[in-house]
């Protein structure tokens, strides 16, 4: 199993990460990671920090001559804000000293971890809560999970995403986007999907909708407010049989919902048309089984004409693309003040504005790709695991051959 740990504060010197359990002999270069770090900065509506950061990963260990060694891999990403934004972060975030003369933050911001964190850790200063609960941490998550993504790519499994709604503007029903999405999946799997989405300033598959969302973001900015939204993560090339129904914690649907909701500000997730399915009769929901030769986007001898289940039945993949949707709440830092209470004086006070995004749904969708890739990679390793890439490939090829009667050696799917 691949595990990862991240450490680092948003305005500290750097964030660091360690990934353990990666098989040996997996090709890996900093570019495999930096590509996705750059994608995390995509999206209209990002705040000033996007102009400061130029995330690049430094790999310290676990990789030699562009291949993993089977040993833990360690990473560092420097925080541009630490030096560049001239706010005195080296002093404010100093590792040593006693903090004398450093102003405390005592006004908790609604919707942030501020008050809950202050109470939990018995701090007098909210700064440590702000700095660790910040979504800056997702840069390192993307880095760590890009290793899992690289592993999946070796087996033709790709992960992509696109945004379907920002605040009030977006598609209402999956039928409004599935045709366009499935055409991309047929052409080039989930990689074609994310590449098409990356072309749009809001990561949407429709130019008109992109324009309408940009206007909506601009209007919201004028009203000094913020927005959330909905996005979809899709995984293609997934063999049937990942995950399991035999025990609660092996159910892949449960793991995927956790993967999405583990990201800051993601407050709901659904597998397939999960939410809408609850409103409809079974005959319109469950996906009839057909022979694989009639298949659309799937692997193996069986397929489905539709995919309301999102590729998972009984907590186990059924060979159809995996579809998970994430729901992000509006950004909690608002230009418009909200009521709060100073925790030092107990005086009622409005919150003060700091640098912030109006919306980060496009960025969140790329982080969700990463956490989903990590979850799928572990389900894949549970079934086909081995110490090295050649060992895993032997297990996978034997299974593919038994299931399909042929060996499909995919090209590196990217
Ligand atoms: C990619 C990304 C970027 C974010 N950017 C901001 C931001 O600029 N300003 C802000 O107030 N919250 C931002 N958030 C959300 C906060 O990190 C999050 O709401 C906060 O830490 C509280 O956690 P919770 O919403 O899970 O309760 C962002 C979240 C993500 C995933």
């Amino acid at each position: 199993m691949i595990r990862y740990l991240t450490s680092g504060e948003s305005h500290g010197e750097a964030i660091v990460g360690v990934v353990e359990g990666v098989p040996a002999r997996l090709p890996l270069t900093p570019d495999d990671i930096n590509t996705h770090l750059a994608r995390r900065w995509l999206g209209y509506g990002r705040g000033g920090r996007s102009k400061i950061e130029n995330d690049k990963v430094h790999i310290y260990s676990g990789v030699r001559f562009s291949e993993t060694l089977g040993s833990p891999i360690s990473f560092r990403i420097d925080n541009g804000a630490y030096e560049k934004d001239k706010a005195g972060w080296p002093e404010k975030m100093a590792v040593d000293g006693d903090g004398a003369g450093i102003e405390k933050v005592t006004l908790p911001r609604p919707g942030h971890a501020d008050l809950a964190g202050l109470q939990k850790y018995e701090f007098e200063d909210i700064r440590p809560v702000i700095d660790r609960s910040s979504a800056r941490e997702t840069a390192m998550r993307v880095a760590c999970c890009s290793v899992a993504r690289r592993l999946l790519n070796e087996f033709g499994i790709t992960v992509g995403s696109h945004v379907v709604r920002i605040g009030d503007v977006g598609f209402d029903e999956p039928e409004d986007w599935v045709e366009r999405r499935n055409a991309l999946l047929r052409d080039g799997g989930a990689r074609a999907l994310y590449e098409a989405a990356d072309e749009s300033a809001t990561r949407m598959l429709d130019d008109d909708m992109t324009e309408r969302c940009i206007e909506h973001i601009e209007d919201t900015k004028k009203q000094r407010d913020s927005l959330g939204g909905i996005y979809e993560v899709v995984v293609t090339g997934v063999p049937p049989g990942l995950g399991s129904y035999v025990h609660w914690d092996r159910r892949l649907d449960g793991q995927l919902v956790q993967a999405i909701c583990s990201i800051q500000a993601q407050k709901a997730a659904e597998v397939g048309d999960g939410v809408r399915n609850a409103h409809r009769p079974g005959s319109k929901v469950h996906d009839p089984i057909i022979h694989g030769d009639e298949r659309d986007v799937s692997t193996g001898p069986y397929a489905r004409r539709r995919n309301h289940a999102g590729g998972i039945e009984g907590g186990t993949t059924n060979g159809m693309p995996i579809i998970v949707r994430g729901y992000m709440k509006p950004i909690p830092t608002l230009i418009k003040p909200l009521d709060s209470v100073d925790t030092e004086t107990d005086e009622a006070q409005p919150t003060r504005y700091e640098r912030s995004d109006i919306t980060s749904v496009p960025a969140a969708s790329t982080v969700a790709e990463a956490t989903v890739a990590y979850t799928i990679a572990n389900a894949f390793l549970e079934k086909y695991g081995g110490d090295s890439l050649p060992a895993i490939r032997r297990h996978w090829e034997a299974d593919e051959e038994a299931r399909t009667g042929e060996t499909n050696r995919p090209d590196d799917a990217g």
Side-chain angles (χ1 to χ4, degrees):
M1 182 187 177
I2 300 177
R3 300 177 289 160
Y4 69 93
L5 282 176
T6 73
S7 171
E9 275 68 42
S10 175
H11 299 99
E13 201 174 345
I15 38 180
V16 298
V18 177
V19 193
E20 199 275 324
V22 180
R25 309 268 319 271
L26 174 70
L28 188 73
T29 66
D31 274 354
D32 292 321
I33 295 161
N34 290 334
T35 308
H36 296 293
L37 286 176
R39 295 181 60 240
R40 198 188 72 96
W41 282 113
L42 290 173
Y44 199 86
R46 305 288 326 250
R49 190 146 182 181
S50 59
K51 295 178 186 71
I52 299 176
E53 302 294 352
N54 176 22
D55 290 332
K56 290 266 182 294
V57 76
H58 301 262
I59 304 178
Y60 283 100
S61 53
V63 180
R64 183 167 180 253
F65 306 142
S66 308
E67 265 192 7
T68 59
L69 305 177
S71 50
I73 305 171
S74 61
F75 298 123
R76 172 188 170 119
I77 301 172
D78 289 329
N79 286 328
Y82 184 69
E83 299 276 0
K84 283 193 215 153
D85 80 358
K86 311 276 180 234
W89 295 117
E91 292 76 39
K92 287 182 187 171
M93 299 305 293
V95 171
D96 49 9
D98 60 5
I102 301 293
E103 196 188 348
K104 290 191 183 78
V105 181
T106 56
L107 194 60
R109 302 158 306 164
H112 275 283
D114 299 8
L115 186 58
L118 197 74
Q119 290 169 317
K120 178 175 172 66
Y121 293 103
E122 303 185 34
F123 292 129
E124 288 175 359
D125 183 353
I126 302 171
R127 173 55 58 199
V129 184
I130 296 176
D131 260 79
R132 182 59 189 163
S133 63
S134 159
R136 177 72 190 139
E137 182 261 351
T138 61
M140 186 45 75
R141 277 215 245 181
V142 167
C144 293
C145 295
S146 295
V147 182
R149 193 171 183 138
R150 186 67 192 80
L151 174 71
L152 292 176
N153 290 169
E154 284 290 319
F155 299 93
I157 302 172
T158 55
V159 185
S161 69
H162 64 115
V163 172
V164 297
R165 166 167 295 275
I166 294 184
D168 255 353
V169 177
F171 300 110
D172 291 317
E173 297 288 341
E175 282 73 20
D176 298 338
W177 72 80
V178 283
E179 223 172 278
R180 170 102 179 93
R181 179 198 70 197
N182 287 351
L184 288 163
L185 299 184
R186 271 193 299 274
D187 279 356
R191 180 177 181 148
L193 173 68
Y194 82 66
E195 285 179 347
D198 289 355
E199 296 288 308
S200 150
T202 54
R203 301 206 70 246
M204 290 174 128
L205 298 181
D206 182 285
D207 292 343
D208 181 50
M209 195 62 87
T210 300
E211 286 310 311
R212 286 173 54 202
C213 272
I214 290 173
E215 273 171 41
H216 186 35
I217 294 167
E218 282 302 317
D219 284 349
T220 306
K221 193 174 178 180
K222 281 186 201 126
Q223 288 156 29
R224 300 151 74 220
D225 222 319
S226 66
L227 295 168
I230 309 172
Y231 54 85
E232 183 172 80
V233 181
V234 181
V235 192
T236 52
V238 194
L242 304 191
S244 182
Y245 57 85
V246 300
H247 199 247
W248 66 267
D249 57 353
R250 292 178 61 188
R251 292 185 63 102
L252 194 59
D253 37 14
Q255 293 173 7
L256 286 167
V257 170
Q258 209 274 332
I260 299 279
C261 289
S262 74
I263 305 167
Q264 295 83 339
Q266 315 309 300
K267 295 301 144 191
E270 64 181 320
V271 178
D273 294 334
V275 173
R276 190 177 65 163
N277 288 350
H279 300 259
R280 304 178 116 199
S283 58
K284 298 228 167 0
V285 167
H286 303 301
D287 307 323
I289 299 167
I290 55 173
H291 280 295
D293 55 4
E294 292 178 50
R295 71 196 179 198
D296 182 356
V297 182
S298 68
T299 56
Y302 306 109
R304 311 299 173 104
R305 255 192 213 102
R306 59 191 189 208
N307 189 14
H308 294 316
I312 300 178
E313 289 166 308
T316 310
T317 57
N318 63 15
M320 291 295 280
I322 294 177
I323 296 167
V324 203
R325 288 186 206 123
Y327 292 73
M328 182 172 189
K329 75 182 191 183
I331 290 291
T333 306
L334 306 184
I335 309 176
K336 190 191 288 190
L338 289 176
D339 289 346
S340 185
V341 174
D342 189 304
T343 53
E344 196 167 57
T345 62
D346 268 351
E347 266 174 49
Q349 267 198 43
T351 52
R352 286 182 288 268
Y353 180 63
E354 300 157 46
R355 181 178 58 209
S356 179
D357 301 344
I358 301 294
T359 189
S360 319
V361 179
S365 62
T366 68
V367 179
E369 281 178 21
T371 61
V372 164
Y374 169 74
T375 305
I376 302 298
N378 272 332
F380 185 87
L381 287 176
E382 190 182 318
K383 192 165 169 66
Y384 301 110
D387 295 319
S388 66
L389 191 64
I392 297 170
R393 199 181 294 291
R394 284 194 296 276
H395 302 158
W396 177 78
E397 278 176 359
D399 192 68
E400 282 282 286
E401 215 172 328
R403 193 164 49 75
T404 64
E406 59 189 72
T407 308
N408 302 317
R409 167 83 177 78
D411 298 331
D412 176 13

